[in-house]
Amino acid sequence: MSLREQKKEQTRRLIAVTAWDMFADRGFDAVRVAEVAKAAQVAEATVFNYFPTKEDLFYAGIDAFGGRLLDAVRTRPADEPVITAFRRCLMRAGGLLVEARAGDWQALDRLRTVSRLVDASPALRAREYRATAELADALTDVLGGDFAARVVANSLISVYRSLVCQVRQGVLDGHSPGRVVAETRRYAEEAFDLLERGLGDY
């Protein structure tokens, strides 16, 4: 990575961290992009150069998981059903919940903050819904783009979104990370078992 690219990445990280701290302290909807720019000591236009929307500031780093799900399906063995590859990737996912379960109090605090902020912000929930819809479209294309591919893609992404909501609700209800992990895995197994009865050969 060149020195210029390193500086750009440092600026991007500074803006994201600054925004996150402000969102966590005051709530997503109460913070303006201009305030983030001032706190990060950059121009407002610079913030938008790195993050096209305010919601992108919040979800920086989170959207990458969707790409991993697509890659898991795209690179699966030729004889492997789509649902098997998708299920394996989703069930192996780590992230804040697994870190919190392992005793990382910072991960637990961030997980609680993310859950609280999304629950309180219609804008963030709308952005999350749009992101999963775009992920379903992308998965449809990976699977060939026909009607059957769209049905399968939306079914799989529906499981993914339902599990995200399940984790968030468990965290908001004050359940321990261990309980949230156990319940999420149980619901995931039930959901995939249900889908496999109808989509297992696709």
Side-chain angles (χ1 to χ4, degrees), residues 16-78:
V17 170
T18 301
W20 169 260
D21 289 343
M22 296 176 73
F23 294 152
D25 183 52
R26 295 165 48 194
F28 178 81
D29 294 334
V31 177
R32 294 181 294 112
V33 173
E35 294 176 296
V36 174
K38 183 177 180 179
Q41 297 183 331
V42 299
E44 186 172 354
T46 300
V47 176
F48 284 118
N49 284 339
Y50 287 95
F51 304 97
T53 70
K54 180 182 168 185
E55 289 76 19
D56 291 331
L57 270 171
F58 180 83
Y59 283 107
I62 297 177
D63 290 339
F65 183 65
R68 295 202 294 275
L69 287 173
L70 293 177
D71 287 341
V73 172
R74 189 183 291 114
T75 61
R76 75 191 190 282

Side-chain angles (χ1 to χ4, degrees), residues 6-22:
Q6 290 179 24
K7 289 183 176 179
K8 288 178 66 176
E9 181 57 30
Q10 288 172 355
T11 300
R12 186 182 189 281
R13 190 179 303 113
L14 171 64
I15 293 170
V17 170
T18 301
W20 169 260
D21 289 343
M22 296 176 73

Side-chain angles (χ1 to χ4, degrees), residues 170-181:
V171 171
L172 291 172
D173 288 344
H175 297 167
S176 70
R179 175 176 172 179
V180 175
V181 168

